[in-house]
Amino acid sequence: MDWSRSRVPLPAFAAFACCLLVMMLGGSVVPVEASHEIYPELQSVSVTNIKKVHRTGYHFQPPKHWINDPNGPMVYKGIYHLFYQYNPKGAVWGNIIWAHSVSRDLVNWKALEPAIYPSKHFDIGGCWSGSATILPGDRPVILYTGLDKDAIEMQNYAIPSDLTDPYLRHWTKPDDNPLIYPTEGINASAFRDPTTAWFSGGYWKTVIGSRHRRRGIAHLYRSKDFLHWVKAKHPLHSVPNTGNWECPDFFPVLKEGKNGLDTSSLGENVRHILKVSLDETRYEYYTIGTYDPKMDKYIPDNTSADGWDGLRLDYGNFYASKTFFDSNKNRRILWGWANESDPKENDTAKGWSGIQTIPRTMWLDSNGKQLMHWPIEEIEMLRGNKVELGKTTLKKGEHVEVKGITAAQADVEVVFSFSDLNVAEKFNPSWGAAHTICAQKGSNVPGGVGPFGIMTLATEDFYEYTPVFFRIFKVKNNMHKVVLCSDARPSSYAPGLYKPAFAGFVDVNVTNGKLSLRSLIDNSVVESFGAGGKTCITSRVYPQKAIYDNAHLFAFNNGMAVITVEKLTAWSMKNANRNVRGRI
Ligand code: DQQ
């Protein structure tokens, strides 16, 4: 089964079965705890033909082959660097190296030579995810997970070979690697993805994802010189029954305002975020909390659930994300990987798999209870032809087409208003998670207020469409539950696709009668931002008919209450230059 479709906690059993097998064979080999579904027969199938349909126009992707996690994003001498997990030989996971691209604007990218690839005893089995830290004196250093020949996971460092080259084309892996080896008591097959280090109390500190049985762990290590690292007695944080923690991210945010902070920032006006990627479900969760630098403990707020019911950066296809502090513009930027949702055979036939989501600026909501996201302002440079829809009312069952843009590749911003919240359906807490509600009711089952929203990547006759929409429910007087859905089920009828009805609650006060939505539509991806970036959902979809000029965009309402499109602005989006060789 393709892991992207697996939502059952199978890996714990798989790991157990794997250990048992190794024990039965009497081997001393550490079993690799599969981080990705592995298809050995396809890993090195070279690609001759690239299928263009469904390739994105302005999301980050290389010309061909498999990509996964964003690694070590940073800005150095004004140039943005993005490294990423890449298979140079095929369109499924395998042969993983750190590919490297650079940009001046986070939109147009130039591909450089791979930065890190297996070559030494401490990474010959793989160069897995990690982060960049800028040391004093403007000296970047990468911490990454290397696997040795026995698949033992350890943490290594790499440094630029020439600090005067702003492109940092060449990286050296010094001989004193590995820096951090899994000592007694550490799960050597689940010990990976070191974070950007922060400095406090005279020590550099980094966190490494792991697990002990099903307890997810963020192991903490300290170093005075970045070379000698000692494991702290207690992890920074751990939670039972959450399985292996991959790609942790730990960073400060300001209590107020949208500016970002350097990863080492502390103080009265600062909160901390701990994000973990849960291997068992391939979803990510974060908490907001307090970091005590003396005790080196992270204490999540009790308003912020810790584990399966917690806050998500994105309620869709989004994993292994990583942030960095952009000192160019004083903001914290989030990258995430959006895997394909089609079968592996299609990926091999397409010759490519995986994209990075549009980088997002991230800050703490003024209520202190969640993060906010918004696509980086630079993406607006790709906006081309613009159309506007003035005030338009939509009665139940009505839709209106937004004409005059390339609907397959567009940016759309809309503000909806509704006058009668009294007709909202009563919320039933037994419905459970937002995606259950979305899956049951979809975009066609009429409600009181909603479903209303936009239909992206739609054919004219609605044979195919990917609706992104709200439903508002009444909890009690003046208290409402808002659900944002991005429903891939009607997006295509090609066989074998993973087509979830993704959804998240939107923590917003709707008594002012308004809700906003922005969607970035790019051929096979729809990234949506509800209520100014309170709830985000990324869907991967593969329409068969709603492609290129046959794709249409509509605003719609299928609820009892009349909905008004107060304002809708949509732009055709131009192609970005992505990963071609040449000047940036
Ligand atoms: N991907 C990397 C690992 C990480 C996983 C391997 C998350 O380092 O844990 O490609 O997608």
Side-chain angles (χ1 to χ4, degrees):
M1 188 196 293
D2 184 335
W3 70 260
S4 65
R5 254 156 284 146
S6 161
R7 293 291 178 266
V8 215
L10 280 177
F13 171 74
F16 169 74
C18 186
C19 291
L20 201 66
L21 187 69
V22 170
M23 272 156 38
M24 276 159 46
L25 295 174
S28 59
V29 175
V30 177
V32 188
E33 202 170 280
S35 153
H36 301 271
E37 197 71 22
I38 297 175
Y39 306 104
E41 71 289 1
L42 295 175
Q43 280 178 348
S44 304
V45 175
S46 103
V47 164
T48 44
N49 204 3
I50 302 297
K51 268 204 187 157
K52 286 232 170 66
V53 66
H54 300 139
R55 269 185 78 78
T56 61
Y58 60 95
H59 280 71
F60 183 100
Q61 62 178 143
K64 60 181 183 177
H65 292 154
W66 164 278
I67 77 170
N68 57 293
D69 318 354
N71 290 156
M74 66 171 154
V75 57
Y76 179 66
K77 295 193 193 297
I79 308 268
Y80 293 104
H81 294 254
L82 179 68
F83 307 85
Y84 55 98
Q85 298 274 284
Y86 180 59
N87 180 356
K89 296 184 181 163
V92 301
W93 186 87
N95 308 304
I96 291 294
I97 63 166
W98 276 47
H100 184 192
S101 294
V102 285
S103 169
R104 287 188 188 278
D105 54 22
L106 290 163
V107 173
N108 298 292
W109 293 89
K110 171 183 163 150
L112 299 181
E113 304 76 341
I116 305 175
Y117 42 88
S119 65
K120 304 268 187 166
H121 65 91
F122 48 78
D123 67 6
I124 200 68
C127 295
W128 287 12
S129 288
S131 310
T133 305
I134 313 269
L135 298 182
D138 213 11
R139 290 176 302 131
V141 50
I142 282 171
L143 290 175
Y144 72 100
T145 300
L147 278 71
D148 70 5
K149 64 175 180 18
D150 297 324
I152 290 179
E153 296 175 17
M154 57 198 76
Q155 319 313 321
N156 302 318
Y157 76 117
I159 49 175
S161 310
D162 175 8
L163 279 175
T164 64
D165 169 19
Y167 290 176
L168 302 172
R169 282 174 189 277
H170 301 290
W171 289 78
T172 304
K173 298 184 278 191
D175 287 338
D176 51 353
N177 272 309
L179 289 187
I180 304 176
Y181 194 81
T183 45
E184 188 70 36
I186 287 190
N187 185 337
S189 62
F191 182 54
R192 53 182 178 257
D193 312 334
T195 63
T196 295
W198 70 99
F199 191 76
S200 71
Y203 288 88
W204 286 102
K205 299 168 188 180
T206 186
V207 153
I208 298 160
S210 189
R211 70 172 179 88
H212 178 67
R213 302 204 176 93
R214 281 199 67 239
R215 174 180 278 274
I217 304 176
H219 285 302
L220 176 74
Y221 282 77
R222 299 191 191 97
S223 171
K224 274 203 181 296
D225 57 6
F226 223 87
L227 294 175
H228 302 90
W229 292 85
V230 177
K231 184 172 168 293
K233 195 164 165 212
H234 301 289
L236 182 77
H237 193 52
S238 74
V239 181
N241 302 320
T242 50
N244 190 28
W245 285 5
E246 297 188 312
C247 299
D249 198 12
F250 184 61
F251 56 90
V253 286
L254 274 174
K255 277 185 186 162
E256 276 169 29
K258 293 187 174 179
N259 280 350
L261 291 171
D262 177 86
T263 310
S264 296
S265 304
L266 296 170
E268 285 286 285
N269 54 350
V270 169
R271 307 298 331 270
H272 273 77
I273 307 292
L274 177 64
K275 184 275 307 183
V276 294
S277 307
L278 297 186
D279 203 5
E280 289 191 2
T281 54
R282 294 271 151 176
Y283 289 143
E284 302 199 308
Y285 292 84
Y286 72 90
T287 49
I288 302 165
T290 305
Y291 167 56
D292 175 346
K294 287 215 181 73
M295 301 302 287
D296 267 331
K297 271 270 167 206
Y298 169 73
I299 300 128
D301 296 352
N302 55 13
T303 49
S304 176
D306 202 349
W308 302 110
D309 298 323
L311 293 162
R312 305 245 314 259
L313 293 175
D314 188 300
Y315 290 81
N317 187 337
F318 186 89
Y319 195 69
S321 70
K322 189 169 289 296
T323 63
F324 76 104
F325 174 59
D326 175 9
S327 52
N328 269 356
K329 290 201 172 179
N330 265 328
R331 56 188 175 174
R332 184 156 286 270
I333 290 183
L334 170 75
W335 282 99
W337 163 48
N339 191 20
E340 302 302 308
S341 294
D342 63 352
K344 63 181 187 307
E345 294 78 14
N346 292 22
D347 294 339
T348 313
K350 287 183 348 224
W352 57 274
S353 173
I355 61 169
Q356 305 296 348
T357 52
I358 297 300
R360 303 173 184 175
T361 307
M362 231 169 50
W363 67 96
L364 191 63
D365 192 357
S366 52
N367 69 12
K369 291 199 297 193
Q370 66 163 95
L371 289 169
M372 301 288 290
H373 307 217
W374 200 242
I376 48 157
E377 59 187 5
E378 289 89 337
I379 204 68
E380 294 169 23
M381 74 172 74
L382 296 177
R383 286 174 170 177
N385 199 36
K386 169 180 171 182
V387 296
E388 277 176 322
L389 201 66
K391 224 176 163 111
T392 310
T393 50
L394 295 173
K395 295 200 199 91
K396 180 170 170 263
E398 286 186 339
H399 55 263
V400 56
E401 181 164 6
V402 182
K403 290 187 175 159
I405 51 152
T406 54
Q409 204 170 300
D411 183 357
V412 48
E413 291 197 53
V414 50
V415 178
F416 296 100
S417 71
F418 26 88
S419 48
D420 194 3
L421 281 172
N422 288 325
V423 298
E425 296 156 90
K426 210 164 171 337
F427 184 75
N428 181 343
S430 73
W431 287 336
H435 62 86
T436 319
I437 299 169
C438 184
Q440 274 172 12
K441 295 178 180 279
S443 60
N444 291 319
V445 177
V449 187
F452 64 89
I454 57 175
M455 288 190 230
T456 70
L457 297 171
T459 50
E460 241 172 335
D461 61 358
F462 306 117
Y463 172 71
E464 290 177 341
Y465 59 103
T466 301
V468 184
F469 57 97
F470 295 106
R471 268 177 187 273
I472 303 179
F473 299 94
K474 203 184 329 182
V475 178
K476 52 185 168 184
N477 280 348
N478 285 340
M479 275 188 66
H480 301 89
K481 275 263 185 199
V482 179
V483 179
L484 176 67
C485 301
S486 179
D487 188 356
R489 290 172 299 176
S491 62
S492 166
Y493 299 96
L497 299 177
Y498 169 52
K499 299 192 294 180
F502 285 133
F505 289 114
V506 192
D507 185 10
V508 65
N509 183 346
V510 283
T511 49
N512 71 355
K514 286 195 176 146
L515 265 177
S516 73
L517 175 66
R518 179 173 181 191
S519 289
L520 294 168
I521 303 157
D522 192 0
N523 299 284
S524 62
V525 58
V526 181
E527 269 189 77
S528 300
F529 302 80
K534 277 182 178 268
T535 300
C536 310
I537 309 181
T538 299
S539 290
R540 296 302 311 277
V541 290
Y542 307 89
Q544 301 298 294
K545 295 173 184 286
I547 55 173
Y548 302 129
D549 291 345
N550 295 325
H552 297 261
L553 175 69
F554 299 88
F556 77 96
N557 174 29
N558 280 332
M560 298 295 289
V562 172
I563 299 294
T564 303
V565 174
E566 288 291 323
K567 187 172 180 191
L568 184 153
T569 313
W571 294 263
S572 296
M573 289 294 273
K574 298 178 205 142
N575 286 340
N577 291 327
R578 285 157 319 146
N579 298 311
V580 283
R581 305 254 164 183
R583 294 178 68 80
I584 58 164

